[in-house]
Amino acid sequence: MAKFGLAVHGGAGVIRKDELTAEQESEYRRSLAAALEVGQKILSAGGPALDAVEASVSVLEDDPLFNAGRGSVFTHEGKIEMDAAIMDGKNLKAGAVAAVRNVKNPIRLARAVMERSPHVFLIGDGAARFAEDIGIELCDNTYFYTDRRWNELEKAIEAGKVTLDHSSLDPRIGQKKPMGTVGAVALDMAGRLAAATSTGGMTNKQYGRVGDTPIIGAGTYADDVCAVSCTGHGEFFIRAVAAYDLAARIRFAGKPITDAAAEAINRVGSFGGEGGLIAVDSAGNMSMPFNTEGMYRGFITSESGPIVEIYR
Ligand code: ASP
């Protein structure tokens, strides 16, 4: 019988058991399980991995708990600017958007870039014009406003720092070092792989900062050997070309996915980068390494799950 597999993440970072109430923890677990369920329905019915990752990521974008879509963090100017990418491993098609505003589900816009434009990557105002032209759902600023994110921005401005989500104080730099992107990777029953990642980026980011999430090969990648979605300090994942690094270890060095994934995260960590990733290979094997204290994550396959985990 053909296999399928799906993994999701809701960001990696300083996530400690004593920092989450039982209620908060179950909210995160419920949301990750809901994202898995939506994707699993598509995959178990024989649907494409691409549809599954888009649907799972959309569920997490709609949930204010996560730093993507509705729950995105604020820029220095008090705006929401989101990045997202999706990739279809069967044909190496990809779509990405950066610094988009007022788009309810940036992952849907990324998919539209892939399927309805001749391009791979659209940014800012141009991406917004494309979204309007093709009728992607837009929301006004109030949809994205959450007290939690606004308070985080005020604190970050006060400290004069750019911060990631799920942060706590990093003694080395005296600032919060959190992370909180969402992502999904899937293998479908026809053997196709796909990856999708979406983020609000970093609190208090300035000057049009873009992280690894929408950069194909850095935060998001899929081909015929594996699909990868990363989360963490984007600047490091960009420099390590982390998602493609993992895929290359499988393709060219013949590594099993668990080794390739561990090596890719270790490489990011070797020069100071913090974060994690989820990956699935063409046989449905999965790996979800991280070098932070926790990563919101879960998976389901044709044989097992759903399993949702938060801590190490
Ligand atoms: N990787 C994302 C970025 O740097 C942040 C995250 O994963 O939380 O924009």
PDB file of all heavy atoms in Angstrom, residues 67 83 164-165 178-181 199 201-202 209 211-213 230-235, ligand 1:
ATOM      1  N   ASN A  67       3.480  32.936  14.778  1.00  0.00           N
ATOM      2  CA  ASN A  67       4.014  34.110  14.097  1.00  0.00           C
ATOM      3  C   ASN A  67       3.964  33.922  12.577  1.00  0.00           C
ATOM      4  O   ASN A  67       4.968  33.758  11.904  1.00  0.00           O
ATOM      5  CB  ASN A  67       5.449  34.358  14.578  1.00  0.00           C
ATOM      6  CG  ASN A  67       6.137  35.446  13.781  1.00  0.00           C
ATOM      7  OD1 ASN A  67       5.487  36.291  13.173  1.00  0.00           O
ATOM      8  ND2 ASN A  67       7.465  35.415  13.779  1.00  0.00           N
ATOM      9  N   ASP A  83       6.327  36.881   5.060  1.00  0.00           N
ATOM     10  CA  ASP A  83       7.082  36.152   4.028  1.00  0.00           C
ATOM     11  C   ASP A  83       6.548  34.718   3.959  1.00  0.00           C
ATOM     12  O   ASP A  83       6.226  34.140   4.991  1.00  0.00           O
ATOM     13  CB  ASP A  83       8.570  36.040   4.403  1.00  0.00           C
ATOM     14  CG  ASP A  83       9.221  37.372   4.744  1.00  0.00           C
ATOM     15  OD1 ASP A  83       8.771  38.404   4.236  1.00  0.00           O
ATOM     16  OD2 ASP A  83      10.184  37.359   5.535  1.00  0.00           O
ATOM     17  N   LEU A 164      13.089  37.559  17.557  1.00  0.00           N
ATOM     18  CA  LEU A 164      12.308  36.490  16.960  1.00  0.00           C
ATOM     19  C   LEU A 164      11.194  36.127  17.935  1.00  0.00           C
ATOM     20  O   LEU A 164      11.166  36.599  19.067  1.00  0.00           O
ATOM     21  CB  LEU A 164      13.195  35.275  16.716  1.00  0.00           C
ATOM     22  CG  LEU A 164      14.246  35.439  15.623  1.00  0.00           C
ATOM     23  CD1 LEU A 164      15.422  34.539  15.896  1.00  0.00           C
ATOM     24  CD2 LEU A 164      13.672  35.134  14.268  1.00  0.00           C
ATOM     25  N   ASP A 165      10.291  35.242  17.501  1.00  0.00           N
ATOM     26  CA  ASP A 165       9.190  34.843  18.361  1.00  0.00           C
ATOM     27  C   ASP A 165       9.674  33.817  19.394  1.00  0.00           C
ATOM     28  O   ASP A 165      10.776  33.326  19.324  1.00  0.00           O
ATOM     29  CB  ASP A 165       8.099  34.247  17.466  1.00  0.00           C
ATOM     30  CG  ASP A 165       6.801  34.068  18.204  1.00  0.00           C
ATOM     31  OD1 ASP A 165       6.625  34.717  19.240  1.00  0.00           O
ATOM     32  OD2 ASP A 165       5.984  33.286  17.730  1.00  0.00           O
ATOM     33  N   PRO A 178      13.883  34.585  20.132  1.00  0.00           N
ATOM     34  CA  PRO A 178      12.800  33.658  19.915  1.00  0.00           C
ATOM     35  C   PRO A 178      12.636  33.306  18.434  1.00  0.00           C
ATOM     36  O   PRO A 178      13.350  33.840  17.606  1.00  0.00           O
ATOM     37  CB  PRO A 178      11.614  34.464  20.365  1.00  0.00           C
ATOM     38  CG  PRO A 178      12.031  35.872  20.105  1.00  0.00           C
ATOM     39  CD  PRO A 178      13.493  35.924  19.854  1.00  0.00           C
ATOM     40  N   MET A 179      11.746  32.448  18.121  1.00  0.00           N
ATOM     41  CA  MET A 179      11.447  32.056  16.747  1.00  0.00           C
ATOM     42  C   MET A 179       9.984  31.626  16.655  1.00  0.00           C
ATOM     43  O   MET A 179       9.437  31.225  17.643  1.00  0.00           O
ATOM     44  CB  MET A 179      12.342  30.897  16.344  1.00  0.00           C
ATOM     45  CG  MET A 179      13.805  31.260  16.340  1.00  0.00           C
ATOM     46  SD  MET A 179      14.832  30.184  17.323  1.00  0.00           S
ATOM     47  CE  MET A 179      16.285  31.199  17.523  1.00  0.00           C
ATOM     48  N   GLY A 180       9.354  31.658  15.468  1.00  0.00           N
ATOM     49  CA  GLY A 180       7.938  31.266  15.500  1.00  0.00           C
ATOM     50  C   GLY A 180       7.199  31.102  14.204  1.00  0.00           C
ATOM     51  O   GLY A 180       5.983  31.213  14.144  1.00  0.00           O
ATOM     52  N   THR A 181       7.939  30.806  13.191  1.00  0.00           N
ATOM     53  CA  THR A 181       7.384  30.539  11.877  1.00  0.00           C
ATOM     54  C   THR A 181       6.520  29.279  11.861  1.00  0.00           C
ATOM     55  O   THR A 181       6.644  28.464  12.750  1.00  0.00           O
ATOM     56  CB  THR A 181       8.610  30.366  10.967  1.00  0.00           C
ATOM     57  OG1 THR A 181       9.309  31.582  10.970  1.00  0.00           O
ATOM     58  CG2 THR A 181       8.299  29.925   9.589  1.00  0.00           C
ATOM     59  N   THR A 199       5.796  33.107   7.594  1.00  0.00           N
ATOM     60  CA  THR A 199       6.254  33.789   8.811  1.00  0.00           C
ATOM     61  C   THR A 199       5.936  35.284   8.802  1.00  0.00           C
ATOM     62  O   THR A 199       5.791  35.897   7.737  1.00  0.00           O
ATOM     63  CB  THR A 199       7.782  33.627   8.982  1.00  0.00           C
ATOM     64  OG1 THR A 199       8.177  34.117  10.267  1.00  0.00           O
ATOM     65  CG2 THR A 199       8.562  34.395   7.923  1.00  0.00           C
ATOM     66  N   GLY A 201       8.232  36.956  10.435  1.00  0.00           N
ATOM     67  CA  GLY A 201       9.624  37.391  10.556  1.00  0.00           C
ATOM     68  C   GLY A 201      10.014  37.695  11.991  1.00  0.00           C
ATOM     69  O   GLY A 201       9.701  36.931  12.888  1.00  0.00           O
ATOM     70  N   MET A 202      10.689  38.815  12.182  1.00  0.00           N
ATOM     71  CA  MET A 202      11.194  39.173  13.511  1.00  0.00           C
ATOM     72  C   MET A 202      10.552  40.448  14.025  1.00  0.00           C
ATOM     73  O   MET A 202      10.423  41.419  13.282  1.00  0.00           O
ATOM     74  CB  MET A 202      12.713  39.365  13.456  1.00  0.00           C
ATOM     75  CG  MET A 202      13.454  38.084  13.102  1.00  0.00           C
ATOM     76  SD  MET A 202      15.188  38.385  12.731  1.00  0.00           S
ATOM     77  CE  MET A 202      15.867  38.497  14.367  1.00  0.00           C
ATOM     78  N   ARG A 209      13.636  44.077   6.041  1.00  0.00           N
ATOM     79  CA  ARG A 209      14.335  42.819   6.362  1.00  0.00           C
ATOM     80  C   ARG A 209      13.511  41.599   5.909  1.00  0.00           C
ATOM     81  O   ARG A 209      12.322  41.501   6.140  1.00  0.00           O
ATOM     82  CB  ARG A 209      14.575  42.740   7.870  1.00  0.00           C
ATOM     83  CG  ARG A 209      15.333  41.489   8.335  1.00  0.00           C
ATOM     84  CD  ARG A 209      14.408  40.378   8.808  1.00  0.00           C
ATOM     85  NE  ARG A 209      15.154  39.212   9.279  1.00  0.00           N
ATOM     86  CZ  ARG A 209      14.600  38.040   9.545  1.00  0.00           C
ATOM     87  NH1 ARG A 209      13.316  37.855   9.402  1.00  0.00           N
ATOM     88  NH2 ARG A 209      15.333  37.026   9.952  1.00  0.00           N
ATOM     89  N   GLY A 211      13.786  37.241   5.956  1.00  0.00           N
ATOM     90  CA  GLY A 211      14.529  36.108   6.518  1.00  0.00           C
ATOM     91  C   GLY A 211      14.676  34.967   5.532  1.00  0.00           C
ATOM     92  O   GLY A 211      14.585  35.145   4.307  1.00  0.00           O
ATOM     93  N   ASP A 212      14.893  33.787   6.061  1.00  0.00           N
ATOM     94  CA  ASP A 212      15.133  32.603   5.233  1.00  0.00           C
ATOM     95  C   ASP A 212      13.860  31.995   4.650  1.00  0.00           C
ATOM     96  O   ASP A 212      13.901  31.319   3.611  1.00  0.00           O
ATOM     97  CB  ASP A 212      15.832  31.521   6.068  1.00  0.00           C
ATOM     98  CG  ASP A 212      14.974  31.103   7.269  1.00  0.00           C
ATOM     99  OD1 ASP A 212      14.455  32.009   7.963  1.00  0.00           O
ATOM    100  OD2 ASP A 212      14.816  29.898   7.507  1.00  0.00           O
ATOM    101  N   THR A 213      12.735  32.228   5.332  1.00  0.00           N
ATOM    102  CA  THR A 213      11.486  31.532   4.993  1.00  0.00           C
ATOM    103  C   THR A 213      11.146  31.521   3.500  1.00  0.00           C
ATOM    104  O   THR A 213      10.886  30.466   2.935  1.00  0.00           O
ATOM    105  CB  THR A 213      10.321  32.152   5.807  1.00  0.00           C
ATOM    106  OG1 THR A 213      10.624  31.977   7.186  1.00  0.00           O
ATOM    107  CG2 THR A 213       8.982  31.512   5.481  1.00  0.00           C
ATOM    108  N   CYS A 230      12.162  25.115   7.398  1.00  0.00           N
ATOM    109  CA  CYS A 230      13.008  25.519   8.533  1.00  0.00           C
ATOM    110  C   CYS A 230      12.348  26.591   9.381  1.00  0.00           C
ATOM    111  O   CYS A 230      11.462  27.317   8.931  1.00  0.00           O
ATOM    112  CB  CYS A 230      14.337  26.074   8.020  1.00  0.00           C
ATOM    113  SG  CYS A 230      15.262  24.925   6.994  1.00  0.00           S
ATOM    114  N   THR A 231      12.831  26.726  10.599  1.00  0.00           N
ATOM    115  CA  THR A 231      12.448  27.826  11.477  1.00  0.00           C
ATOM    116  C   THR A 231      13.623  28.193  12.360  1.00  0.00           C
ATOM    117  O   THR A 231      14.373  27.311  12.787  1.00  0.00           O
ATOM    118  CB  THR A 231      11.237  27.465  12.347  1.00  0.00           C
ATOM    119  OG1 THR A 231      11.033  28.526  13.299  1.00  0.00           O
ATOM    120  CG2 THR A 231      11.432  26.161  13.104  1.00  0.00           C
ATOM    121  N   GLY A 232      13.785  29.471  12.617  1.00  0.00           N
ATOM    122  CA  GLY A 232      14.897  29.875  13.461  1.00  0.00           C
ATOM    123  C   GLY A 232      15.443  31.211  13.023  1.00  0.00           C
ATOM    124  O   GLY A 232      14.759  31.966  12.307  1.00  0.00           O
ATOM    125  N   HIS A 233      16.660  31.494  13.426  1.00  0.00           N
ATOM    126  CA  HIS A 233      17.263  32.792  13.135  1.00  0.00           C
ATOM    127  C   HIS A 233      17.645  32.838  11.657  1.00  0.00           C
ATOM    128  O   HIS A 233      18.689  32.332  11.236  1.00  0.00           O
ATOM    129  CB  HIS A 233      18.482  33.001  14.038  1.00  0.00           C
ATOM    130  CG  HIS A 233      18.876  34.427  14.141  1.00  0.00           C
ATOM    131  ND1 HIS A 233      19.483  34.956  15.235  1.00  0.00           N
ATOM    132  CD2 HIS A 233      18.722  35.454  13.259  1.00  0.00           C
ATOM    133  CE1 HIS A 233      19.703  36.252  15.036  1.00  0.00           C
ATOM    134  NE2 HIS A 233      19.252  36.562  13.845  1.00  0.00           N
ATOM    135  N   GLY A 234      16.778  33.465  10.874  1.00  0.00           N
ATOM    136  CA  GLY A 234      16.835  33.372   9.422  1.00  0.00           C
ATOM    137  C   GLY A 234      18.170  33.726   8.789  1.00  0.00           C
ATOM    138  O   GLY A 234      18.580  33.103   7.809  1.00  0.00           O
ATOM    139  N   GLU A 235      18.845  34.714   9.347  1.00  0.00           N
ATOM    140  CA  GLU A 235      20.115  35.149   8.761  1.00  0.00           C
ATOM    141  C   GLU A 235      21.098  33.977   8.681  1.00  0.00           C
ATOM    142  O   GLU A 235      21.857  33.841   7.716  1.00  0.00           O
ATOM    143  CB  GLU A 235      20.707  36.300   9.581  1.00  0.00           C
ATOM    144  CG  GLU A 235      20.104  37.678   9.287  1.00  0.00           C
ATOM    145  CD  GLU A 235      18.655  37.857   9.752  1.00  0.00           C
ATOM    146  OE1 GLU A 235      18.114  36.986  10.462  1.00  0.00           O
ATOM    147  OE2 GLU A 235      18.048  38.885   9.383  1.00  0.00           O
TER     148      GLU A 235
HETATM  149  N1  ASP B   1      13.067  32.034  10.206  1.00  0.00           N
HETATM  150  C1  ASP B   1      12.196  33.156  10.434  1.00  0.00           C
HETATM  151  C2  ASP B   1      12.890  34.429  10.015  1.00  0.00           C
HETATM  152  O1  ASP B   1      14.071  34.578  10.271  1.00  0.00           O
HETATM  153  C3  ASP B   1      11.783  33.322  11.853  1.00  0.00           C
HETATM  154  C4  ASP B   1      11.289  32.099  12.544  1.00  0.00           C
HETATM  155  O2  ASP B   1      11.516  30.972  12.117  1.00  0.00           O
HETATM  156  O3  ASP B   1      10.643  32.280  13.566  1.00  0.00           O
HETATM  157  O4  ASP B   1      12.231  35.303   9.491  1.00  0.00           O
END
